[in-house]
Amino acid sequence: MGNTIENIATLVAAEAPAVREDVLSWVTEFAELLQPDAVRWCDGSEEEWQELTAEMVAAGSLIPLNKDIRPNSFLARSTPDDVARVEDRTFICSNEAIDAGPTNNWRDPQEMKATLREKFAGAMRGRTLYVIPFSMGPVGGAISQVGLQLTDSPYAVLNMRIMARVTPEVYTQISNGADWVRTVHSVGAPLAEGEEDVVWPCNPDKYIVHFPETLEVWSYGSGYGGNALLSKKCFALRLASVMGRRDNWLAEHMLLIKLTNTDTGRVFHLAAAFPSACGKTNLAMLRPTIPGWEVETLGDDITWLRPGKDGRLYAINPEAGFFGVAPGTGESTNPTAMSTLWGNTIYTNVALTDEGDVWWEGKTDSVPDHLIDWQGNDWTPDSDRPAAHPNSRFTVPITQTPTLAEEWFAADGVPIDAILFGGRRATNVPLVAKARDWQHGVFIGATISSEKTAAQEGTVGELRRDPFAMLPFCGYNMADYWGHWLNMGEKLGDKAPQLFQVNWFRKDQDGRFLWPGFGENSRVIDWILRAVDADNNGSEKLGEPSPIGVLPADGELNLDGVDVPAEDLASLFDVDAESWLAECDLTEQFFAQFGERLPAQLSAELEALRERLRAA
Ligand code: GTP
Ligand code: SPV
Ligand code: MN
């Protein structure tokens, strides 16, 4: 069709709701660059969902699932080259390279914008430009933020409607003076006149670009997950971490849960930072195996934390849905997730059963005789490839979680009692340790890492560093981020939550897990919360000191009804000074790359740890 510039301005304005002038001019400016055939201002309504899913089904981009088994649910299949976040194509374009730091890909913002303007020029020809207004957290909440996403992907529109609160109320917030984050997304696949569309449009050349100083995201070439749902990692972690540092709050890769002691009625809230594939979704939906605790879900991936009026740290889950890994999710490992998925779900890259249901490795113990795999090919148990892609996902509204805490709706969040740092560590790191104080806890967070196993490339036992589980998600210099955490501790003072280290993944010499994990992790949470409670109400403190932190004293961990042999228990808490000292050398090397930006407190913590280990 080929719209002229004048046409496009008219196209943008034609259906526009009442928006502030800067919103209209921003949308117009990008529409003129991207040159879509049509513009649709989304409102997040049910009708919009029905219309877009129907259009995508007609185009073959969504497969409707059997209504009797999975009502209002759909399967999408991506191309094999667009199945995950692309970290090597993710850029932080601060004005100065040093402000992105050594762990991010930096590019000059002006040069990057010039490059991307060329990519964006005409990129939406033959397509519709959707304008998505969304709130992260309850609209108008004390910790909430709003943003707009432009996209040419109806798949992104549908997923955003699940993952964020998509509503035109956002425009009212903006008109009332709220800051707003500007995000632009194109799959980078313009259609020539008469050209037929493909099922999953994308471009081999991908750019996931953040401009932290102007709070913009420009994303090009991918339609998948965190690359395309810009509310998630791009906004809620990378940009929000920058906003948090500016305005005294924290944006973290953490799950969030509420725990009620059923004996005392006391309520606690806990957040936990674990790297990807280290069990956040599992802990977010924990089913305790011990009596005495009720666990309710608030979030499984991202938590925003801000000091409240009473001086305590308050938290929200800014998201409205789960974008969870499907493989490994089953009745035996996560029954809560399974019942959450009863309907209204978009599945991406899972397998399709002959009945029109979905399947993935680990969903059921028995494997179906025949499936259509994630690439659309026939599959049987004899096939030598997985039926679902290992990073296949479900997108589902959080409100469908049977264990959802009512505080998920609370405008101003919940007060945090404890923050956990975890990773996948076969050695060294104990099942649980309490940080000596906030500064020591920040050191623990900064040194989170996971060990490579024999199944992976590289040297066995080699540490993959993932500080605060934020390595791919911190929008600024990681050393400054640690400094911000240290400052936050000083501001919170004695109202700060307690910090802990946990590790569900310690193994014996034969590679067997020493700890049963999953629901049994409630025993560790129980100790953590009793330790917190004892600190708060001044009763006798739990635990005993070790060089690496406070460990549960003999008999403090509730092991009633679980079979953990005494030698395993000893191994779970063994602190081997020699291997810890070797790890300290690696930490020193890791810290060195941050040069003079490294907070002096962290080098001091490293030296103090070495001294305690040498004295042990
Ligand atoms: P992202 O969504 O990518 O951020 O991952 P996540 O942190 O939410 O990880 P998820 O909950 O999907 O779990 C990843 C893997 O850890 C799965 O294979 C689980 O079976 C496994 N896992 C979770 N909890 C435990 C545990 O307590 N012990 C053991 N051994 N494995 C666990
Ligand atoms: C992760 O990789 O940690 C995710 C998936 O949660 S994505 O949203 O694609 O980043
Ligand atoms: Mn994640």
Side-chain angles (χ1 to χ4, degrees):
M1 187 164 81
N3 280 299
T4 64
I5 296 234
E6 296 87 286
N7 274 348
I8 285 181
T10 315
L11 215 55
V12 170
E15 305 282 328
V19 295
R20 212 170 64 180
E21 183 51 39
D22 58 337
V23 171
L24 194 64
S25 58
W26 177 74
V27 178
T28 306
E29 180 198 326
F30 273 97
E32 285 170 355
L33 179 63
L34 294 156
Q35 297 171 33
D37 276 12
V39 175
R40 177 161 187 161
W41 294 77
C42 299
D43 59 9
S45 65
E46 177 65 26
E47 300 77 70
E48 189 171 275
W49 169 276
Q50 295 299 345
E51 243 180 84
L52 290 185
T53 52
E55 280 174 24
M56 287 189 73
V57 168
S61 294
L62 282 183
I63 298 165
L65 298 177
N66 184 328
K67 287 184 176 55
D68 298 326
I69 312 176
R70 307 268 165 200
N72 194 29
S73 299
F74 302 88
L75 168 63
R77 294 188 189 126
S78 79
T79 50
D81 61 346
D82 196 22
V83 293
R85 282 185 296 107
V86 281
E87 283 178 24
D88 61 331
R89 302 300 302 160
T90 299
F91 302 93
I92 302 293
C93 300
S94 45
N95 290 329
E96 304 293 332
I98 187 73
D99 292 325
T103 56
N104 279 315
N105 294 321
W106 177 83
R107 290 287 188 282
D108 176 80
Q110 296 320 318
E111 282 170 26
M112 183 55 99
K113 282 195 170 173
T115 303
L116 280 178
R117 273 199 193 94
E118 277 174 33
K119 296 278 170 194
F120 276 159
M124 292 191 184
R125 274 194 206 125
R127 300 191 182 279
T128 298
L129 164 63
Y130 301 91
V131 185
I132 313 171
F134 62 94
S135 177
M136 302 306 288
V139 178
I143 314 179
S144 303
Q145 299 285 341
V146 297
L148 297 190
Q149 177 169 338
L150 306 182
T151 182
D152 52 8
S153 162
Y155 169 87
V157 176
L158 294 172
N159 279 271
M160 285 289 288
R161 181 176 182 267
I162 297 174
M163 294 307 297
R165 292 158 168 94
V166 174
T167 162
E169 285 175 75
V170 165
Y171 298 124
T172 316
Q173 292 289 311
I174 294 174
S175 295
N176 292 341
D179 246 358
W180 56 286
V181 169
R182 294 146 168 82
T183 75
V184 186
H185 169 246
S186 172
V187 293
L191 294 166
E193 193 158 355
E195 185 182 342
E196 206 174 316
D197 203 357
V198 292
V199 164
W200 183 274
C202 65
N203 192 300
D205 202 17
K206 299 182 187 357
Y207 290 84
I208 318 298
V209 182
H210 308 72
F211 302 98
E213 276 106 358
T214 50
L215 301 183
E216 293 172 272
V217 181
W218 293 18
S219 170
Y220 178 86
S222 169
Y224 205 89
N227 302 333
L229 315 178
L230 303 187
S231 63
K232 197 171 175 59
K233 307 297 185 178
C234 297
F235 178 173
L237 289 178
R238 299 195 190 96
L239 292 187
S241 61
V242 173
M243 298 163 85
R245 180 178 177 226
R246 183 190 69 189
D247 298 334
N248 192 36
W249 52 282
L250 301 165
E252 302 299 333
H253 194 200
M254 292 177 180
L255 66 95
L256 183 63
I257 51 179
K258 170 187 176 185
L259 301 110
T260 307
N261 183 312
T262 52
D263 298 326
T264 64
R266 263 208 277 281
V267 171
F268 301 84
H269 301 98
L270 179 155
F274 302 163
S276 297
C278 288
K280 281 189 302 299
T281 304
N282 265 281
L283 190 58
M285 299 178 173
L286 178 71
R287 289 208 176 176
T289 52
I290 54 170
W293 291 104
E294 184 193 0
V295 181
E296 292 169 88
T297 306
L298 285 158
D300 82 326
D301 198 47
I302 298 178
T303 299
W304 286 356
L305 309 109
R306 187 188 276 257
K309 290 195 186 79
D310 61 2
R312 297 185 68 192
L313 195 56
Y314 281 75
I316 62 167
N317 165 18
E319 298 195 281
F322 299 124
F323 184 63
V325 181
T329 307
E331 281 306 333
S332 54
T333 53
N334 196 339
T336 307
M338 292 311 294
S339 42
T340 303
L341 298 175
W342 63 265
N344 308 319
T345 305
I346 297 174
Y347 297 89
T348 309
N349 289 345
V350 302
L352 184 66
T353 72
D354 295 347
E355 297 76 43
D357 194 6
V358 283
W359 195 83
W360 48 80
E361 280 69 22
K363 177 170 179 264
T364 51
D365 292 337
S366 63
V367 178
D369 292 335
H370 176 257
L371 294 165
I372 303 296
D373 74 7
W374 69 276
Q375 298 198 72
N377 301 315
D378 282 305
W379 186 96
T380 68
D382 293 333
S383 304
D384 55 4
R385 54 180 200 278
H389 187 277
N391 192 41
S392 57
R393 300 261 173 177
F394 51 78
T395 320
V396 66
I398 193 172
T399 49
Q400 291 184 194
T401 318
T403 54
L404 185 70
E406 62 182 2
E407 287 81 359
W408 180 80
F409 299 93
D412 300 339
V414 295
I416 292 294
D417 298 281
I419 296 177
L420 279 47
F421 299 112
R424 188 179 284 266
R425 293 296 306 266
T427 62
N428 276 16
V429 177
L431 181 62
V432 57
K434 182 167 179 279
R436 299 155 58 86
D437 53 27
W438 182 274
Q439 182 174 304
H440 179 228
V442 172
F443 174 81
I444 289 174
T447 52
I448 291 184
S449 46
S450 287
E451 264 145 11
K452 290 181 181 163
T453 66
Q456 291 169 313
E457 280 177 50
T459 320
V460 173
E462 189 186 332
L463 293 181
R464 184 178 53 88
R465 297 272 164 183
D466 192 353
F468 284 77
M470 284 287 278
L471 189 70
F473 306 122
C474 185
Y476 61 104
N477 190 312
M478 184 63 79
D480 296 342
Y481 166 92
W482 297 331
H484 179 45
W485 264 83
L486 291 166
N487 285 338
M488 186 60 85
E490 270 173 39
K491 285 185 185 129
L492 293 166
D494 61 3
K495 297 216 168 71
Q498 304 279 357
L499 308 180
F500 294 82
Q501 176 164 41
V502 297
N503 176 26
W504 318 141
F505 300 95
R506 197 151 175 178
K507 291 180 175 173
D508 70 4
Q509 252 118 13
D510 303 328
R512 175 184 59 95
F513 284 117
L514 291 163
W515 179 250
F518 301 97
E520 305 294 3
N521 295 334
S522 55
R523 299 168 189 278
V524 176
I525 305 295
D526 168 67
W527 181 80
I528 286 171
L529 295 181
R530 283 190 290 119
V532 167
D533 210 16
D535 282 351
N536 291 349
N537 63 29
S539 62
E540 199 186 335
K541 284 192 189 309
L542 264 65
E544 57 188 25
S546 84
I548 58 157
V550 180
L551 305 179
D554 256 0
E556 281 180 1
L557 200 62
N558 179 350
L559 294 171
D560 287 351
V562 69
D563 186 25
V564 180
E567 15 356 322
D568 283 7
L569 198 62
S571 305
L572 278 165
F573 288 102
D574 181 46
V575 179
D576 180 56
E578 208 173 308
S579 47
W580 268 93
L581 281 165
E583 194 166 324
C584 287
D585 294 345
L586 298 176
T587 299
E588 185 173 346
Q589 286 171 24
F590 176 63
F591 280 173
Q593 65 180 314
F594 296 96
E596 48 185 42
R597 292 247 177 162
L598 181 75
Q601 295 98 313
L602 292 189
S603 348
E605 281 296 328
L606 178 59
E607 281 323 301
L609 172 60
R610 279 173 161 152
E611 268 168 44
R612 293 194 301 270
L613 288 164
R614 287 191 199 108

